[in-house]
Amino acid sequence: MNLRSCFLFLVLAPSAFGADNRIIAEDKSLKACADLVLKGFRKIAPTRDVRFQGKVAEATAICRGGQQALLLRNTPWVDWSHYFGTADLASAPKGLLTKNGPAFRGVSGALLDLEYQRMELIKFNLFDNSGTYKDYAQGRVLKRWDEMRLPKSDPNYAAVGGDGTQTCSGQLIRARTLTGICNDVLNPAMGSTGQLFARNVEFTTTFPDLGANTLTQNRHAGRLALLKPDPQIISRKLFTRPQSHPEACNDGYGLPNDSPEANCDYQKAPFFNVLAAYWIQFMTHDWFSHLEEGHNQPVYMKVGCETPELGCRPDDRIDRAYVAQDTPPANPLDRAPKTFANTNTAWWDTSQIYGYDETSLKRVQRDPKDPAKLLLVPGAKGELFLPVLDPSAPMNPQWKGQEAAAFADNWTIGLSFLHNLFVREHNSFVDEFHRVAALTPNADSGLRNPANPRKVITYSEVTPEELYQAARLVINAEIAKIHTTEWTPQLLYDDVGYKALNANWNGLFGNSNPQATKALNDIIVYNFGKSKDVEKSSQWYSVFASGPGIFGLGSRAKNYDITNPETLNAGVNHFGSPFNFPEEFITVYRLHALVPDLLEFREADKDPNKIVKKIAVVNTFEAKATDAMHSTGMADWGLTLGRQRLGVLQLGNTPVFLQNLHMGRLDSKTQQIDVAALDLIRDRERGVPRFNEFRRQYGLRQLTSFDDFLPPDATDSQKQLIQSMREIYGTHTCDSSKVITDAQLNPDGSPINDCLGHPNGSVIDNIEDVDTVVGWQAEFVRPHGFAISETQFVVFILNASRRLFSDRFFTSGFRPEFYTKLGIDWVNNNGPGKPMIEKIATNNHPPQPVSPMKRVLMRNIPELQGELDYVINAFDPWARDHGEYYTLAWKPRKGAETDDAFK
Ligand code: HEM
């Protein structure tokens, strides 16, 4: 669904209903639609202070959701989550002539709201730290930046043009490079290892505790510091999982012999499994890291804990974060006062498996018998696993005994499972390639070499290195597809999430109308993409791209030429700002609450409904993951992670073990750390604005008191948490003469001041001080089926799509010249051969192709095939009944009635 179709539908919808009496019931709603159409659609905001805040006019709300859509209008939260059809069956229009029309209006209206958000985010929220911001701020959509040149120290400096114009060519453009250079052929350094993290918020609003300008001084009045309010008190009072039987949890260690009688309480998400929790840890290890080889600066600091009786440890210490630049710039438009380097490639290039620099590459082991493959070795029972890290490989001492992977830090059983799975998948692709090559050695593999672009490279001529690199591209695109079309729609479990994400990948028409897709693709790339008009080449480009889909944009050109930089780069769009993740993105990915304390272990070859052991997650950490994996195997772990529900991302739900984590590398008395408190400290070190300003910066509505977090039907424990928040962050007597932000204005156009709409001199909550990680976990009000909050979501709307838009290999480079013909088909069809179609349909969709993750699991762990018969989305708990329409009910499917998890 794209914006244009939303427009068309909303214009045509009213005339689709005849003069039937039943219409009276929806008369109001339709009149409101007509009203909306007559008034026309809103324009993209000319300045940030008047942007769309997810709040629509009353007529619009009624048109899309009837009276129920007015429910959230006086709250800070976005309106669309109450439109028709955007939740489960209860959101279907009631007593109306037809259900489909209004539901379509509701869901497409929601998508329209999200498109407005995305356009304005692209326009207002890209703050590159490397010196290019001034041009973006002036509306100049540059395609090449001096700041993205390779430095003299780079071994490829001369190859890309040295002192002259730098352009990548030859071997450097054929595949993903180790450090991520030359993904963008005109900007060789973009996204490469060691580039600076960007920001999504105004530079002047970062590092609020420095009080460097009047606005931040007025906003926080000197109340903030690195350890103020005390992060460990916040962790203990607001994050701790309450335990009904602490003795059965035993601080997250469970009971002797992994007894199934152990129990650690946690709030569970019925629609999302533990596999999904580890999936996102696996992804973040691909995208970013602030640490170098698993450590920070060799300088230790206190981490708080003024009140040890709460259970924290005053003697805990942590190493200070690395800082790239720690003095403010001469010109505030140049960058934030401090910057930090991403020690990983920012590209979605599976660098956690394949490496991101020379050091990490040494941990990656290729198969000496077939160098196109990664090495797998038989375990005690003959099953193939990754080898353990070679003792000669560079490693942090605490990684000893772990399985070999480029990104080795914070290794868990889930990472072991996913790394093993995708290394198997890499080798499965290579095997299939060899099979096809043996059958048709002289056929065209699709691969081309820019040194001799017209020469066909046959299957038999493909070298092991070329095959290894092509396999990497395939695995990588497959992972991006799983994340976009399978993991994320389950994270945002409603029809809005499903349609938005599928349009990003497959386009509006899927495979049903290739001509329309091609025509749209040409319009986007060659007309919008080349336009000098910034609104067209950036904001509208992003909207209309969901017609053909972002994936593969610019790859369908007839005269594609791998020696022409313009052709190579045709499909990428950075919207005027070089791509890297912003610090704010890391903040919303601090998802430690997803992890349970105990894993409900099951055996695939016995009764899958039985939980035979409860294994403490902490006993599967680092090298302990190797024993856990090898002693049982991939099938048992797949079943275990697939059936268990993950933790809800809300206050009061942090794993007990993460608050008390032992880390051997720490030079401190306790050698322990509270990871949840550390999440707050790291964000403070990196100057992430506090929650309310964070929301204003992203175009969301501010809160005016802690009570705004509470839903109308708040539980006692939610009320208690908000009361604790008030005790921790405090209150103050407000002063309406102090302006606190320039990101937004009050509805009457006046500046927002310290009183946030309360009378001058009244005592108000210090809502401005709330750490962002605390704030988003306190969002008890959220759209249906959302495992994340709307604040996290808005960060994803911008950055998740940019990760596709900016990457040559996901846009114009999705071609056989790089992937091979077999590779292109593998990505499109989710594996070898023709696409497989599901027998079961869910959520009112026609039967879907068997999902890519399900295919990867079935292919590489065949023991799971029976279990996966019922699974549509591999991240939905495997024994759950899918129900009719986006149900969140925790009910067993047929055959799983005796599953212990449903007792
Ligand atoms: C057993 C599971 C896990 C353990 C033991 C663990 C441990 C840690 C530790 C110790 C850090 C702090 C590094 C530092 O700043 O010094 C960290 C950072 C982080 N963790 Fe986890 N984690 C786990 C699971 C997850 C999961 C499921 C996610 C989901 C996305 C996640 C996301 C992050 C992020 C985003 C950071 C910040 C990284 C950075 O600053 O570059 N972690 N984790």
Side-chain angles (χ1 to χ4, degrees), residues 330-651:
N331 179 348
L333 283 188
D334 282 351
R335 58 168 171 85
K338 295 184 198 174
T339 62
F340 307 87
N342 186 351
T343 58
N344 212 324
T345 65
W347 303 116
W348 209 349
D349 57 359
T350 329
S351 52
Q352 77 276 45
I353 294 180
Y354 298 96
Y356 42 89
D357 60 12
E358 290 296 339
T359 308
S360 61
L361 183 65
K362 295 199 177 100
R363 291 191 279 271
V364 181
Q365 296 194 37
R366 304 266 283 261
D367 185 343
K369 289 203 215 98
D370 181 352
K373 287 186 172 177
L374 286 153
L375 183 62
L376 290 172
V377 293
K381 297 180 187 163
E383 188 175 352
L384 292 180
F385 297 111
L386 283 163
V388 293
L389 278 168
D390 191 294
S392 68
M395 74 175 102
N396 203 317
Q398 75 197 50
W399 300 341
K400 197 164 168 268
Q402 279 180 205
E403 289 160 292
F407 195 105
D409 205 24
N410 294 330
W411 189 253
T412 58
I413 187 68
L415 294 180
S416 163
F417 180 80
L418 290 162
H419 275 260
N420 272 298
L421 183 66
F422 284 97
V423 169
R424 287 184 184 188
E425 177 71 353
H426 174 109
N427 290 355
S428 298
F429 177 76
V430 173
D431 281 338
E432 177 66 8
F433 193 92
H434 287 326
R435 193 187 68 78
V436 176
L439 289 175
T440 55
N442 300 323
D444 179 2
S445 69
L447 219 55
R448 293 292 182 274
N449 187 340
N452 191 357
R454 260 169 285 284
K455 174 170 183 323
V456 168
I457 301 180
T458 64
Y459 274 90
S460 62
E461 288 168 341
V462 174
T463 65
E465 183 59 23
E466 285 171 337
L467 180 51
Y468 176 84
Q469 295 300 347
R472 175 183 181 173
L473 280 173
V474 170
I475 300 313
N476 185 205
E478 211 174 14
I479 285 178
K481 185 174 185 184
I482 291 170
H483 189 84
T484 308
T485 64
E486 196 166 358
W487 185 86
T488 314
Q490 201 63 34
L491 171 93
L492 315 170
Y493 193 57
D494 59 32
D495 215 37
V496 181
Y498 177 86
K499 294 215 162 78
L501 271 303
N502 273 283
N504 265 4
W505 192 272
N506 295 314
L508 190 56
F509 306 110
N511 290 332
S512 66
N513 193 340
Q515 279 99 346
T517 300
K518 159 104 179 57
L520 271 172
N521 176 79
D522 289 351
I523 295 169
I524 308 304
V525 174
Y526 302 110
N527 181 333
F528 281 51
K530 291 196 182 304
S531 171
K532 294 264 177 283
D533 171 353
V534 56
E535 280 208 351
K536 211 171 161 190
S537 67
S538 277
Q539 293 116 46
W540 287 102
Y541 180 105
S542 82
V543 173
F544 280 87
S546 43
I550 305 170
F551 191 76
L553 264 184
S555 67
R556 299 169 184 96
K558 250 201 207 128
N559 302 322
Y560 194 88
D561 176 358
I562 53 166
T563 60
N564 178 352
E566 294 298 329
T567 320
L568 288 168
N569 246 27
V572 301
N573 194 336
H574 312 300
F575 306 117
S577 189
F579 174 70
N580 211 312
F581 291 102
E583 293 294 346
E584 291 68 30
F585 188 76
I586 287 80
T587 304
V588 298
Y589 269 104
R590 297 190 177 278
L591 306 182
H592 291 116
L594 294 176
V595 186
D597 281 286
L598 302 176
L599 294 168
E600 300 169 351
F601 189 79
R602 298 156 190 271
E603 292 167 332
D605 58 349
K606 304 215 172 76
D607 178 1
N609 293 326
K610 198 167 163 47
I611 297 171
V612 289
K613 291 191 237 175
K614 296 257 184 82
I615 301 180
V617 173
V618 69
N619 286 332
T620 63
F621 188 43
E622 298 177 333
K624 290 181 188 155
T626 313
D627 296 339
M629 178 54 75
H630 287 212
S631 60
T632 52
M634 290 285 279
D636 287 356
W637 279 110
L639 179 67
T640 297
L641 304 178
R643 283 216 178 182
Q644 187 173 350
R645 287 161 288 176
L646 55 61
V648 172
L649 290 167
Q650 279 189 2
L651 293 183

Side-chain angles (χ1 to χ4, degrees), residues 269-314:
F271 56 93
F272 219 20
N273 61 20
V274 176
L275 182 61
Y278 285 122
W279 174 270
I280 193 62
Q281 192 190 21
F282 181 55
M283 289 298 94
T284 59
H285 289 184
D286 178 353
W287 299 331
F288 54 79
S289 174
H290 284 90
L291 282 71
E292 287 179 12
E293 288 293 286
H295 58 75
N296 302 287
Q297 288 186 57
V299 178
Y300 276 77
M301 62 182 184
K302 285 188 171 182
V303 287
C305 186
E306 286 160 16
T307 344
E309 53 277 17
L310 287 173
C312 54
R313 296 164 299 274

Side-chain angles (χ1 to χ4, degrees), residues 10 24-37 39 55-73 79-80 82-85 91 93-94 96 101-103 105-107 109 113:
L10 288 166
I24 294 164
E26 59 188 289
D27 193 34
K28 246 187 155 176
S29 162
L30 291 179
K31 274 209 191 100
C33 294
D35 226 29
L36 159 67
V37 171
K39 278 193 190 136
K55 310 297 281 184
V56 294
E58 187 172 324
T60 314
I62 297 175
C63 164
R64 296 173 183 172
Q67 294 301 313
Q68 63 171 9
L70 300 179
L71 285 178
L72 291 181
R73 285 181 52 71
D79 284 335
W80 69 258
H82 277 56
Y83 296 170
F84 293 131
S91 67
K94 287 170 204 72
L96 301 188
R105 255 182 357 242
V107 173
D113 286 3

Side-chain angles (χ1 to χ4, degrees), residues 199-264:
R199 309 293 313 209
N200 274 171
V201 297
E202 286 172 278
F203 296 138
T204 48
T205 208
T206 61
F207 299 91
D209 49 348
L210 295 180
N213 53 58
T214 316
L215 292 179
T216 53
Q217 284 159 14
N218 287 349
R219 197 181 313 132
H220 302 292
R223 293 184 296 262
L224 305 182
L226 185 64
L227 299 180
K228 223 168 92 181
D230 189 325
Q232 299 228 39
I233 293 180
I234 296 175
S235 166
R236 297 287 154 171
K237 286 198 168 179
L238 296 181
F239 292 169
T240 301
R241 279 182 182 158
Q243 295 301 322
S244 57
H245 296 94
E247 68 293 348
C249 180
N250 187 22
D251 283 343
Y253 280 82
L255 296 177
N257 304 320
D258 301 326
S259 163
E261 301 306 316
N263 177 54
C264 292

Side-chain angles (χ1 to χ4, degrees), residues 696 702 738-741 744-746 750-754 756:
R696 287 190 290 254
Q702 66 184 13
K738 290 182 169 171
V739 175
I740 62 165
T741 184
Q744 291 183 10
L745 296 171
N746 287 316
S750 62
I752 293 176
N753 65 54
D754 181 44
L756 296 172

